[in-house]
């Protein structure tokens, strides 16, 4: 152990700048950190007894009878039995702090008592009618939901998933503008249906068949290649130390004066080049996530979306904000991610946190754009069903009553700054970014190269976190980013535990590296 620790120094950020005499003290601190076990916060909930099939039978059924495209996390997949707020319990009763919220879907907490009670009450009243009849909950819900959006975004079409919502948004944009081409970003995820796969620009989701005809991923024209462009101020060609709407900026330096951003100007020029060379003079629209989700909480320069929206509208296109992951108070400072950019989209799509895990989604737009869909019939059997509307309404109530938007800002900011301290200590943490409870931790071989940390090393850190009781997500083009997006009911005590566990996992990684 001592021999391994003696070789750890160069793996720490700035280790070569330390005074040689600090080596002994540093090794003592490292030894203490290895011996310290992060203490899981208390939980006053006890899960019920697991009474289903044994683990091995569950695993066998999954392999034989579920599609092989449905991958599982971890070497030994988790068999989860019960959930309570920010906690998950497996079949053996082990408790985990959930930092991924069912892929950013459990917004107010697993099995939140108020949402559960509302669903149970509606189960005994009316499950389904289809929207050819009126039922109270759909009118009550859309009135409550649209009150949270600025004018003129007041018309709702309810669907069942984010893919469905984005699919419909694409369709409406084309109907309304009478144009066809849509622009999206590299690294964006907007769904996995054959239509929305044209907007999704992450290779692992692509299949070798035609999809998304008419979708244009923003391209790097200057390089004379088909390489896509994303205004990523950490990994992209331009970036600096004042670019993002975040308390934590990149490690890259710039000479920009206050209020100016050369990186933004460069990326806007790229966007203009795309409009000039890759699409017709008139387009259907542009879709973007306010903060990219699957790509690892990537944030753009502060003014980028506002300027890009203006350029798109000059071409006759509509602007679509994909709020599937950023919506419902997750960013903390605002209820909707687009509000953090000072913009009002023409169409907003939302899912995931809208139902706290219940399958529902929505497209919200203007009266004029909505009318374009009314020229012929368009029907969704399950969209806006009584169960979904009651659950969605209850979720909105809980966000307000439990102060979850404020909690996202306070706990999210606290956790972001704590992770940033680890970035300053560890050479393999290249970037910490995000807003509210939407955080990305991008891992690298070293800060100078910014090359992604190899997948095997990422997986070892990830597994260690799970073994110590913390479930965390993965994302990024190279799966190089840890995604921290917990239920919005998480506490500062939980955040401390999560950071301690992640720190311990990093220390284990350093020990493994030094022992090679």
């Amino acid at each position: 152990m001592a021999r391994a620790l003696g070789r750890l120094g160069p793996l720490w950020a700035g280790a070569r700048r330390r005074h040689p005499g600090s080596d002994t003290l540093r090794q003592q601190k490292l030894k203490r950190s290895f011996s310290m076990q992060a203490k899981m916060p208390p939980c006053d909930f006890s899960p019920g007894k697991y009474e289903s099939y044994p683990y091995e039978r569950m695993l066998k059924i999954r392999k034989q009878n579920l599609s092989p495209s449905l991958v599982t996390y971890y070497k030994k997949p988790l068999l989860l039995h019960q959930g309570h707020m920010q906690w998950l319990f497996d079949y053996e009763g082990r408790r985990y702090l959930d930092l991924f919220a069912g892929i950013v879907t459990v917004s107010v907490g697993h099995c939140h008592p108020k949402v559960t009670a509302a669903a149970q009450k509606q189960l005994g009243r009316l499950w389904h009618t289809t929207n050819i009849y009126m039922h109270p909950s759909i009118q009550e819900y859309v009135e409550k939901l649209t009150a949270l959006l600025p004018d003129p975004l007041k018309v709702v079409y309810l669907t069942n998933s984010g893919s469905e919502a984005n699919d419909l948004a694409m369709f409406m944009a084309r109907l309304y503008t009478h144009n066809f081409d849509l622009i999206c970003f590299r690294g964006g995820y907007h769904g996995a249906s054959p239509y929305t796969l044209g907007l999704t620009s992450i290779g692992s989701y692509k299949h070798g068949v035609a999809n998304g005809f008419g979708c244009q991923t923003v391209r790097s024209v200057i390089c004379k290649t088909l390489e896509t462009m994303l205004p990523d101020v950490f990994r992209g060609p331009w970036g600096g130390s004042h670019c993002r709407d975040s308390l934590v900026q990149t490690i890259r330096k710039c000479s920009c004066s206050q209020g100016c951003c050369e990186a933004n100007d460069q990326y806007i020029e790229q966007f203009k080049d795309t409009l000039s060379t890759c699409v017709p003079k008139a387009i259907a629209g542009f879709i973007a996530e306010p903060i990219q989700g699957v790509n690892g909480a990537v944030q753009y320069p502060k003014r980028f979306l506002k300027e890009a929206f203006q350029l798109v509208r000059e071409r006759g296109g509509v602007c679509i904000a994909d709020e599937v992951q950023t919506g419902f108070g997750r960013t903390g400072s605002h209820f909707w991610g687009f509000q953090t950019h000072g913009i009002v989209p023409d169409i907003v799509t939302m899912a995931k946190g809208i139902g706290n895990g219940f399958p529902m989604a929505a497209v919200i737009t203007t009266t004029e754009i909505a009318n374009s869909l009314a020229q012929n019939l368009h029907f969704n059997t399950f969209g806006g069903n009584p169960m979904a509307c009651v659950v969605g309404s209850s979720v909105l109530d809980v966000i307000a009553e439990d102060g979850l938007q404020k909690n996202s800002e306070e706990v999210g900011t606290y956790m972001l700054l704590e992770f940033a301290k680890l970035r300053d200590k560890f050479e393999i943490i290249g970037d910490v970014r995000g807003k509210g409870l939407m955080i990305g931790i991008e891992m690298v071989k070293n800060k100078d190269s910014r090359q992604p940390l190899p997948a095997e090393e990422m997986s070892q850190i990830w597994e260690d976190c799970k073994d110590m009781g913390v479930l965390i997500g993965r994302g990024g083009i190279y799966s190089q980013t840890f995604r921290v997006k917990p239920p919005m009911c998480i506490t500062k005590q939980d955040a401390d535990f999560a950071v301690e566990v992640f720190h311990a996992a990093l220390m284990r990684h350093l020990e493994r590296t030094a022992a090679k």
Side-chain angles (χ1 to χ4, degrees):
M1 178 73 167
R3 184 178 302 170
L5 288 170
R7 298 168 60 187
L8 293 177
L11 303 173
W12 286 76
R16 284 167 291 186
R17 296 189 296 270
R18 295 179 181 271
H19 189 276
S22 65
D23 285 349
T24 302
L25 178 60
R26 183 167 68 255
Q27 290 181 16
Q28 290 173 351
K29 289 181 179 179
L30 290 177
K31 289 178 182 178
R32 283 199 298 271
S33 69
F34 277 117
S35 64
M36 290 173 62
Q37 179 67 40
K39 186 177 180 181
M40 186 176 284
C43 173
D44 59 3
F45 176 83
S46 296
K49 182 181 178 181
Y50 176 77
E51 296 178 338
S52 190
Y53 300 148
Y55 180 88
E56 293 303 324
R57 184 177 177 187
M58 287 290 191
L59 201 60
K60 182 178 179 180
I61 293 171
R62 187 174 184 99
K63 290 179 179 179
Q64 290 182 348
N65 303 116
L66 279 172
S67 170
S69 66
L70 299 175
V71 298
T72 53
Y73 269 13
Y74 305 115
K75 292 177 182 177
K76 182 182 179 183
L78 289 175
L79 176 55
L80 296 174
H81 165 52
Q82 203 161 350
H84 174 73
M85 303 306 283
Q86 64 270 43
W87 302 103
L88 287 169
F89 301 84
D90 71 7
Y91 72 108
E92 294 180 315
R94 283 189 292 263
R95 179 160 58 104
Y96 300 90
L97 177 62
D98 184 7
L99 291 191
F100 203 27
I103 314 182
V104 207
T105 300
V106 179
S107 50
V108 301
H110 292 281
C111 302
H112 190 288
K114 179 161 187 173
V115 180
T116 300
Q120 289 172 336
K121 184 178 180 180
Q122 187 63 34
L123 276 171
R125 179 180 292 156
L126 181 66
W127 288 26
H128 181 72
T129 63
T130 80
N131 46 43
I132 59 174
Y133 308 115
M134 289 202 300
H135 56 84
S137 57
I138 190 170
Q139 281 76 226
E140 293 167 356
Y141 178 56
V142 298
E143 182 182 49
K144 189 181 294 186
L145 181 61
T146 54
L148 296 167
L149 286 120
D151 289 330
L153 297 169
K154 297 298 176 183
V155 183
V156 182
Y157 195 110
L158 292 166
T159 67
N160 308 289
S161 71
S163 291
E164 264 191 345
N166 283 327
D167 196 285
L168 180 59
M170 294 169 66
F171 189 48
M172 294 170 76
R174 286 168 170 164
L175 281 174
Y176 176 71
T177 63
H178 302 291
N179 300 323
F180 193 64
D181 288 66
L182 288 148
I183 298 174
C184 52
F185 279 143
R186 179 190 188 216
Y189 181 86
H190 302 286
S193 67
Y195 212 25
T196 56
L197 270 175
L199 299 176
T200 292
S201 187
I202 298 175
S204 55
Y205 291 93
K206 296 290 189 178
H207 298 267
V209 296
N211 60 75
F213 184 50
C215 301
Q216 299 290 335
T217 303
V218 178
R219 304 183 188 281
S220 176
V221 183
I222 291 176
C223 296
K224 305 293 184 186
T225 71
L226 295 182
E227 183 180 350
T228 58
M229 186 276 291
L230 167 70
D232 180 350
V233 296
F234 173 71
R235 184 159 292 283
W238 302 287
S241 49
H242 309 288
C243 302
R244 299 190 294 221
D245 177 24
S246 176
L247 289 175
V248 179
Q249 300 293 328
T250 72
I251 57 175
R252 301 172 75 173
K253 302 301 180 184
C254 65
S255 57
C256 298
S257 58
Q258 190 69 27
C260 297
C261 182
E262 293 179 8
N264 179 72
D265 296 342
Q266 294 282 6
Y267 287 120
I268 285 294
E269 287 303 312
Q270 288 267 311
F271 196 81
K272 289 178 180 177
D273 284 338
T274 298
L275 291 172
S276 299
T277 61
C278 297
V279 294
K281 291 182 179 179
I283 62 174
F286 167 54
I287 186 169
E289 304 159 89
I291 299 174
Q292 284 194 332
V294 174
N295 200 20
V298 173
Q299 294 178 279
Y300 324 123
K302 295 172 188 174
R303 303 195 313 270
F304 184 88
L305 282 187
K306 179 176 282 191
E307 295 181 33
F309 273 28
Q310 181 179 342
L311 292 169
V312 168
R313 285 169 173 154
E314 289 172 1
R315 294 276 182 141
V318 299
C319 298
I320 305 168
D322 181 337
E323 292 278 354
V324 170
Q325 294 197 27
T326 51
F328 298 94
R330 180 161 291 279
T331 62
S333 62
H334 297 79
F335 200 81
W336 305 109
F338 68 77
Q339 293 171 316
T340 68
H341 295 273
I343 54 177
V344 177
D346 303 297
I347 303 175
V348 180
T349 59
M350 55 194 72
K352 290 188 180 286
I354 190 174
N356 197 47
F358 194 92
M360 62 182 298
V363 180
I364 302 184
T365 188
T366 67
T367 300
E368 293 75 18
I369 294 175
N371 284 340
S372 65
L373 194 63
Q375 297 168 13
N376 292 290
L377 287 176
H378 190 278
F379 184 71
N380 190 305
T381 299
F382 296 105
N385 67 78
M387 288 298 304
C389 292
V390 164
V391 168
S393 183
S394 181
V395 167
L396 292 180
D397 291 343
V398 170
I399 291 171
E401 292 167 8
D402 291 5
L404 295 185
Q405 180 182 335
K406 182 179 180 182
N407 192 64
S408 290
E409 182 171 31
E410 292 179 353
V411 178
T413 298
Y414 176 76
M415 194 170 354
L416 180 74
L417 294 174
E418 290 300 306
F419 281 127
K421 292 177 184 177
L422 296 183
R423 181 194 65 178
D424 296 338
K425 292 180 180 179
F426 290 91
E427 185 67 15
I428 59 170
I429 301 181
D431 195 28
V432 171
R433 55 182 176 255
K435 192 172 175 65
L437 286 173
M438 192 161 184
I439 297 170
I441 305 169
E442 184 158 348
M443 309 299 288
V444 296
K445 289 182 178 179
N446 58 72
K447 289 182 169 69
D448 290 335
S449 71
R450 284 177 284 154
Q451 292 182 7
L453 191 69
E456 181 183 354
E457 296 180 48
M458 285 287 296
S459 295
Q460 289 172 337
I461 296 170
W462 194 41
E463 293 276 352
D464 283 341
C465 287
K466 182 261 294 180
D467 291 343
M468 289 184 278
V470 172
L471 305 182
I472 193 168
R474 293 271 293 275
I477 298 291
Y478 312 103
S479 195
Q480 81 283 13
T481 303
F482 290 117
R483 298 167 65 192
V484 179
K485 301 164 185 181
M488 295 189 295
C489 56
I490 193 172
T491 68
K492 282 189 177 180
Q493 189 178 11
D494 300 329
D496 285 333
F497 171 65
V499 173
E500 288 175 19
V501 164
F502 190 63
H503 179 263
L506 293 174
M507 294 303 302
R508 291 182 183 181
H509 171 268
L510 289 183
E511 184 184 24
R512 284 190 297 265
T513 303
K516 289 181 180 178

